[in-house]
């Protein structure tokens, strides 16, 4: 079955670079895109970026200058890197699969990231 | 950017009551609209895709509809397991945007 799982450090310091990994199973990264969604504590969902099946990417303009999404198809992993972290980057980060109906259909469990000195 | 205005922000309803949540898109997005339910501490779960199609395993009391650029999620008979926060997502164009969420509670 389709599964996604995020992993990465839970606590970061301001100005550091965040690195998260999304490991997927049950589908191929060359068939479906994977998106990253952030949810600040107690707040709503914000799309951050997507890497598509063909390898191209789209980023939210609010974080575009700091964000990079890449993948290793042989390992079924998608990577998020975001530099110059600030406390407002604190939240839960989800990866999710894009299906052919333009929907994020399967989501990982999320990883909580706290940015604090 | 396409804005998704979701309403109400919160509502309280009784068991077996009919509940309707709406999302207004700032421009035409066709049927590129999905609805999600999120429970505390959990990831969002897909309920409706393509504005009106029920996702696998979702109870038939959930339904989606569209009127122009207004989209609605209806719960026909509220059940004890339905409280949570509901979000819409437009999948028409980047940047993909969510509605602000509707917190549904049991009265």
């Amino acid at each position: 079955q389709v599964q996604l799982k995020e992993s990465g450090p839970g606590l970061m310091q301001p100005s550091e670079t965040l690195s998260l990994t999304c490991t997927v199973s049950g589908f191929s990264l060359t068939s479906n895109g994977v998106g990253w969604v952030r949810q600040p504590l107690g707040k709503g969902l914000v799309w951050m970026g997507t890497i598509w099946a063909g390898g191209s990417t789209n980023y939210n303009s609010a974080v575009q200058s700091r964000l990079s999404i890449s993948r290793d198809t042989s390992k079924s992993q998608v990577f998020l890197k975001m530099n110059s972290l600030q406390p407002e980057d604190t939240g839960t980060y989800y990866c999710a699969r894009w299906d052919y109906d333009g929907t994020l259909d399967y989501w990982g469990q999320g990883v909580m990231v706290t940015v604090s000195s | 950017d396409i804005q998704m205005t979701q309403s109400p922000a919160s509502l309280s309803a009784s068991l077996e009551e009919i509940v309707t949540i709406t999302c207004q898109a700032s421009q035409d997005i066709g049927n590129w609209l999905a609805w999600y339910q999120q429970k505390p501490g959990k990831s969002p779960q897909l309920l409706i895709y393509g504005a009106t199609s029920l996702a696998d395993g979702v109870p038939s009391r959930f339904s989606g509809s569209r009127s122009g650029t207004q989209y609605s999620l209806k719960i026909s008979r509220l059940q004890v397991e339905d409280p949570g926060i509901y979000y819409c997502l437009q999948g028409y164009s980047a940047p993909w945007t969510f509605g602000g969420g509707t917190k549904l509670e049991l009265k």
Side-chain angles (χ1 to χ4, degrees):
Chain A
Q1 71 275 28
V2 173
Q3 291 184 322
L4 302 93
K5 186 172 184 178
E6 307 87 348
S7 59
L11 182 61
M12 302 290 295
Q13 301 222 344
S15 79
E16 287 187 329
T17 295
L18 175 67
S19 293
L20 298 177
T21 299
C22 174
T23 302
V24 311
S25 60
F27 70 98
S28 170
L29 293 177
T30 58
S31 296
N32 291 83
V34 170
W36 287 93
V37 175
R38 179 168 72 186
Q39 185 169 37
L41 194 62
K43 297 191 176 181
L45 303 165
V46 179
W47 169 77
M48 298 187 68
T50 295
I51 186 163
W52 299 103
S56 62
T57 53
N58 286 103
Y59 299 116
N60 188 319
S61 60
V63 293
Q64 184 168 7
S65 62
R66 301 191 290 131
L67 181 64
S68 175
I69 297 174
S70 60
R71 68 183 185 180
D72 183 334
T73 56
S74 66
K75 293 183 178 179
S76 295
Q77 292 181 323
V78 176
F79 310 105
L80 175 150
K81 290 189 187 302
M82 188 161 67
N83 59 31
S84 304
L85 286 178
Q86 295 301 316
E88 51 266 33
D89 294 314
T90 293
T92 299
Y93 288 72
Y94 297 99
C95 62
R97 187 183 81 161
W98 281 101
D99 79 352
Y100 306 112
D101 292 302
T103 300
L104 293 164
D105 59 351
Y106 289 90
W107 295 61
Q109 64 192 19
V111 59
M112 178 67 192
V113 175
T114 301
V115 182
S116 174
S117 55
Chain B
D1 298 4
I2 298 173
Q3 308 301 318
M4 302 301 297
T5 303
Q6 189 171 339
S7 62
S10 64
L11 78 152
S12 180
S14 303
L15 283 175
E16 304 288 323
E17 191 173 335
I18 297 173
V19 170
T20 301
I21 299 167
T22 63
C23 267
Q24 178 70 49
S26 61
Q27 65 184 72
D28 181 25
I29 60 170
N31 287 328
W32 298 91
L33 190 285
W35 290 98
Y36 298 87
Q37 177 195 63
Q38 187 179 33
K39 297 189 177 182
K42 300 293 186 182
S43 56
Q45 298 295 307
L46 179 65
L47 298 173
I48 301 287
Y49 64 94
T52 61
S53 298
L54 197 65
D56 290 344
V58 175
S60 58
R61 64 180 179 276
F62 291 91
S63 63
S65 63
R66 171 194 174 190
S67 176
T69 58
Q70 181 166 291
Y71 300 81
S72 297
L73 173 70
K74 178 182 171 182
I75 308 174
S76 61
R77 294 170 57 188
L78 190 66
Q79 300 297 299
V80 67
E81 61 268 29
D82 295 338
I85 301 178
Y86 290 79
Y87 296 94
C88 63
L89 166 67
Q90 67 85 10
Y92 180 76
S93 68
W96 289 273
T97 43
F98 292 88
T102 296
K103 186 174 184 179
L104 172 61
E105 297 177 322
L106 268 178
K107 194 179 291 182

